[in-house]
Amino acid sequence: MSEAEWKTGITDIGPGKIRVRGYDIADVMQNLSYAEAVYLILKGELPTPAEAALMNAILVSSIDHGASPPSVLGTRTVLSGGNSLNAAIAGGVLVIGDTHGGAIEQSARILQEWAKKDGEAATIASQIVDWLNQSKKRMPGFGHRLHNVDPRTGKLFEIAAKYGYSGRHIEICKALEKTLAERTGKQLPINVDGAIAAVISDMGFDWRLGKGFFIISRTPGLLAHAYEEMTREKPMRKLGPMPFEYDGPAERKIPE
Ligand SMILES: CC(C)(COP(=O)(O)OP(=O)(O)OC[C@H]1O[C@@H](n2cnc3c(N)ncnc32)[C@H](O)[C@@H]1OP(=O)(O)O)[C@@H](O)C(=O)NCCC(=O)NCCS
């Protein structure tokens, strides 16, 4: 009888032994790319060549997007305030939320829940837009502050198609772009979060892992920004994309 009080199925360790999902770490180091090892640790099995290529493309796609995204400003602000590297990276990761990077989670959730229903992709897309309108919600994974066509989306779908990996979630995602344009009259491109959501859903990943893909991808970018901030900028510099003005109460005194 085992005396263990809890179990884990991820990595088996012992003196001189590290086996990730059953594979010796030396074997993994020798034979798998980083993306393949990430797939292994999350899925528990080795990826096919298609899954390996897609995982690599996902992790590369969101590595950085310039100095303006909220997570980068988070990292730089924490560092500029005189904090450590780990606090700065953690600060950036904490900024990732439902509207920045984290849209993967809710987008994948919607795609996975609706893909189970019967009907053609276009019909499902139309039903999703009805539901969004009724609940006064935006479709996560669509729209972008800068891009009318997100260059990362097309490439991800192209790689998926090359390997014959275009499944129902990608189909519904593409149909949604069309339906949203027809119904709103606005160009709301599938952004990188939406594309990752569709691809990981076709790869069989649970939507609850969604934000994790963005965090794994963006952390090297955050590290580069933290390092640039510490080596190139002075501490507590004026950081922020635009000027602001104060519009709160004028100076006042606490009543005696
Ligand atoms: C990313 C985002 C914040 C960019 O927004 P933006 O370009 O500044 O556009 P706005 O927030 O000003 O919205 C402009 C209009 O488009 C609509 N719109 C924008 N994104 C939409 C979406 N995903 N679904 C439905 N409608 C959307 C807004 O309702 C608004 O309509 P209105 O003018 O009638 O009020 C926005 O598209 C969004 O919230 N997307 C969903 C979250 C997401 O995918 N985030 C990941 C970004 S990589």
Side-chain angles (χ1 to χ4, degrees):
M1 250 306 254
S2 160
E3 287 181 11
E5 290 188 10
W6 60 284
K7 295 185 180 187
T8 170
I10 303 169
T11 302
D12 186 16
I13 56 160
K17 174 181 83 173
I18 306 169
R19 286 195 200 124
V20 179
R21 302 287 192 186
Y23 295 100
D24 191 274
I25 193 71
D27 204 7
V28 174
M29 288 162 70
Q30 175 89 26
N31 294 303
L32 299 193
S33 67
Y34 180 66
E36 288 168 327
V38 171
Y39 183 99
L40 172 66
I41 200 135
L42 295 180
K43 256 298 181 76
E45 296 299 334
L46 294 174
T48 63
E51 288 158 345
L54 281 167
M55 183 57 101
N56 185 58
I58 287 169
L59 297 189
V60 174
S61 68
S62 300
I63 194 159
D64 195 39
H65 193 272
S68 63
S71 54
V72 171
L73 291 173
T75 282
R76 283 180 176 265
T77 302
V78 172
L79 200 112
S80 191
N83 294 291
S84 64
L85 182 74
N86 49 324
I89 301 296
V93 170
L94 281 174
V95 179
I96 294 169
D98 285 344
T99 48
H100 167 48
I104 299 170
E105 181 184 286
Q106 290 309 316
S107 190
R109 180 180 195 171
I110 292 169
L111 290 173
Q112 290 179 21
E113 284 174 357
W114 286 79
K116 288 185 201 140
K117 300 179 196 282
D118 291 334
E120 304 227 323
T123 314
I124 299 287
S126 176
Q127 289 168 352
I128 294 175
V129 175
D130 288 342
W131 167 74
L132 288 167
N133 288 343
Q134 277 157 21
S135 24
K136 300 199 179 339
K137 282 185 180 162
R138 292 180 176 199
M139 180 61 205
F142 288 75
H144 202 280
R145 284 200 303 211
L146 180 65
H147 307 298
N148 290 329
V149 176
D150 191 321
R152 301 160 294 185
T153 298
K155 190 41 95 175
L156 268 177
F157 288 164
E158 185 191 308
I159 295 169
K162 181 178 152 199
Y163 285 96
Y165 223 91
S166 300
R168 184 158 169 79
H169 301 94
I170 295 180
E171 248 184 73
I172 295 173
C173 184
K174 286 181 178 170
L176 263 169
E177 185 175 46
K178 227 171 135 221
T179 310
L180 280 169
E182 282 160 13
R183 299 273 199 96
T184 65
K186 293 180 194 106
Q187 189 69 19
L188 295 169
I190 305 168
N191 60 45
V192 72
D193 288 16
I196 293 174
V199 171
I200 62 163
S201 297
D202 274 348
M203 289 166 83
F205 283 106
D206 189 319
W207 60 267
R208 287 171 292 194
L209 285 167
K211 281 192 177 91
F213 288 89
F214 190 83
I215 293 168
I216 301 168
S217 177
R218 183 53 59 92
T219 299
L222 295 180
L223 179 57
H225 282 280
Y227 185 69
E228 188 177 82
E229 187 68 31
M230 76 171 72
T231 53
R232 202 161 140 175
E233 303 295 344
K234 59 178 190 173
M236 214 192 139
R237 72 176 167 118
K238 215 170 159 190
L239 237 171
M242 56 190 80
F244 64 89
E245 68 176 21
Y246 174 78
D247 67 352
E251 186 183 3
R252 50 188 169 167
K253 300 249 183 277
I254 308 266
E256 288 181 12

